[in-house]
Amino acid sequence: MSRRLTRLILFYLILTGLWQGLYSLRLWPEYIFPSPVGVLKTLVAGFEDKTFIIGILISMKRILIGYGLSIVVGLGIGLLIGRVKLLDETFGSLVLGLQALPSICWLPLALLWFGLSESAILLVVILGSLFSIIIGADTGVKNVPPIYIRAARTMGAKGLQLYTKVIIPAALPSIISGFKQGWSFAWRSLMAAELLYVSLGLGHLLMMGRELNDMNQVIAVMIVIIVIGVVVDRLIFAKVENKVRERWGLA
Amino acid sequence: MIKEERLGQSEELIKLDELKPHRVVDLRGAVCPHPLNVIRETMRSLKDKEILQALCDHEPTAKENAPRFCKRRGYPFWVIEKKGVWHIFIQKIEKSQPRLQVVNVSKVFKTNYGKVTALDNINLTIHEGEFVCIVGPSGCGKSTLLNLIAGLDKPTQGEIWSNGNRVTGPGSDRVVVFQEGALFPWLTVIENVEFGLKILKVNPKIRRTLAVDYLKLVGLDEKFHNSFIHQLSGGMKQRVAIARALVMEPAILLMDEPFAALDVHTRETLQQELQNIWSESHKTIVFVTHNVQEAVLLGDRVIVFAKNPGRIKAEYEIDIPRPRRADAPEVFLNTKWITDDIREEMEELERKVEEVAYR
């Protein structure tokens, strides 16, 4: 493990070194090709004057609300269409169709409905992650081995108990995968939506960098966005997913 | 000199010197497995309250198997030894309530290719404490029948009665042990066993105690109680599955090829233990298998199914004293006898066995 870590650190050091070396050749002006030192300085300054922290908090608040709503609605719909054939044949096809639409394509609609507002961004985030979550829950429910349900029924489980004690636990690995994919779609959709107007989130900070011709800020904000995405994905979702898969004997 | 041996609920029976059998069968010289089957067939032809006298020189039949046969059905009986010959008197008394009754049951499945008759007019009566094995080739409807008894599916025609109540859905009086893979992987071993009790809202402390007791009964080492299912071997999984079913205290235990996926050695061990569990708990067991030898080894009665359409082809009483060993000559003889009798169906079965063996 520590050997792997050493290699990783070494890799990034060399990468930064190459970057610095290329910068030292002065082939391009600073606003096109910034130095790692400049980016680091902007990062530190951004956190010191709290603009980055405010940006992160605003973006996090949006994603928590949007993604949270998505989970509630998506899980409900997914669990239903997984079990009810009529809903699956009708609503299920609609979900598959809408899943094919990149979520940022909802933005014009959201802007016409809600104007340049918080609600418009939330709508894009919700629609960005909703379908992955529905499909995850739906697939999970459809793939519950029928023998689990039959066994539970002979032991007296019925109705809602079948859902809470058998179907949901059995479908959990797939539900978590849907959550994970939904999260990364939600994060992407949020950043895309925030780029478009004065929204104060991380996306807006990125756009501000462009408007000020400040490539240091552009790269610095990109790094922040990547780090948040990776941390949530690797440290939260991947951990939970592995744990569930291991317990379910799928790993 | 008459040596009397009275073993039945004989209060209901008239005095010995007043015994006037309506039918006498001489079973001297008949070897197992025939005597008990002749008795059963003859009893079937008798009317209510009539008496059968059977002369028999096969000791296990007279002293053990015939009495058990009578007790299961609630028939009063006498067994008397006279000069090395046993005289067995049995009075037929129709009990109003057998443990399980399958009456004129048919099941038709609609498929894309048309209707398939999975079961055609099945009639079956299973008595309290009886171990019944159902054998047949794949597609003969034996598992379908088990599902109908369990209430997981509804018959197209006919009725099923469990202890006098019409079966309309699943109930914890009839719990199923499935072939494999029916344990819940998200629960530990002990949580699996507690599942049904939790559904019944049994107090957690009592639940835990019962689960521990039954895991002990099926011989699962305590160190596995908190293991997850995928950490267990196939044999241990089936032990847990049996414990999970028994803990519900079902009146009938339904077993759907529970040992089919196990290796030979593990299967033999579990067959022995199932015999022990059965003789300790006096459960009524309906056991579905495609293996005639397994059916003979375990069952008081073996019911052979044929397919297209699924129906009962033959029925045999297994006249072998318990505990039975898989390599006992009687088990071999009975297996051969049944196998010869149902040659046609057997060829189908053997093909299936080979498929399993080469898997």
Side-chain angles (χ1 to χ4, degrees), chain B residues 65-193:
Chain B
N65 297 321
R68 218 181 48 233
F69 167 87
C70 295
K71 279 182 197 159
R72 274 198 316 259
R73 284 166 169 68
Y75 295 162
F77 64 95
W78 291 79
V79 179
I80 299 152
E81 195 190 337
K82 223 191 248 178
K83 293 177 192 158
V85 177
W86 285 275
H87 296 248
I88 307 165
F89 294 90
I90 305 172
Q91 186 176 27
K92 180 167 181 175
I93 287 180
E94 290 294 1
K95 282 258 174 151
S96 54
Q97 245 184 44
R99 169 55 72 193
L100 185 82
Q101 249 182 324
V102 177
V103 187
N104 299 327
V105 162
S106 298
K107 178 72 187 173
V108 179
F109 288 112
K110 284 189 192 114
T111 68
N112 295 338
Y113 312 102
K115 288 182 179 175
V116 175
T117 308
L119 291 172
D120 186 28
N121 200 28
I122 304 291
N123 281 289
L124 188 62
T125 302
I126 291 168
H127 301 273
E128 181 76 51
E130 196 172 15
F131 197 141
V132 175
C133 289
I134 299 179
V135 189
S138 48
C140 70
K142 57 192 194 299
S143 292
T144 307
L145 179 64
L146 207 73
N147 281 337
L148 294 179
I149 296 172
L152 292 170
D153 211 348
K154 289 199 166 59
T156 315
Q157 246 173 48
E159 293 164 9
I160 295 170
W161 296 80
S162 167
N163 212 20
N165 300 312
R166 176 116 184 237
V167 171
T168 52
S172 47
D173 57 325
R174 293 156 277 125
V175 178
V176 188
V177 176
F178 295 96
Q179 179 169 344
E180 57 176 338
L183 294 172
F184 302 138
W186 58 90
L187 299 177
T188 60
V189 163
I190 197 142
E191 286 166 348
N192 261 284
V193 178

Side-chain angles (χ1 to χ4, degrees), chain A residues 147-148 150-157 161 165-166 169-170 246-249, chain B residues 147 152 170-171 176 178 180-186 195 199 228 230 244 248:
Chain A
I147 199 163
Y148 291 164
R150 293 203 292 149
R153 285 179 65 207
T154 69
M155 288 186 282
Q161 277 177 329
K165 297 235 189 314
V166 183
E246 189 193 320
R247 181 156 177 175
W248 267 239
Chain B
N147 281 337
L152 292 170
V176 188
F178 295 96
E180 57 176 338
L183 294 172
F184 302 138
W186 58 90
F195 182 89
I199 296 284
F228 284 110
H230 66 94
R244 184 173 78 166
M248 305 292 292

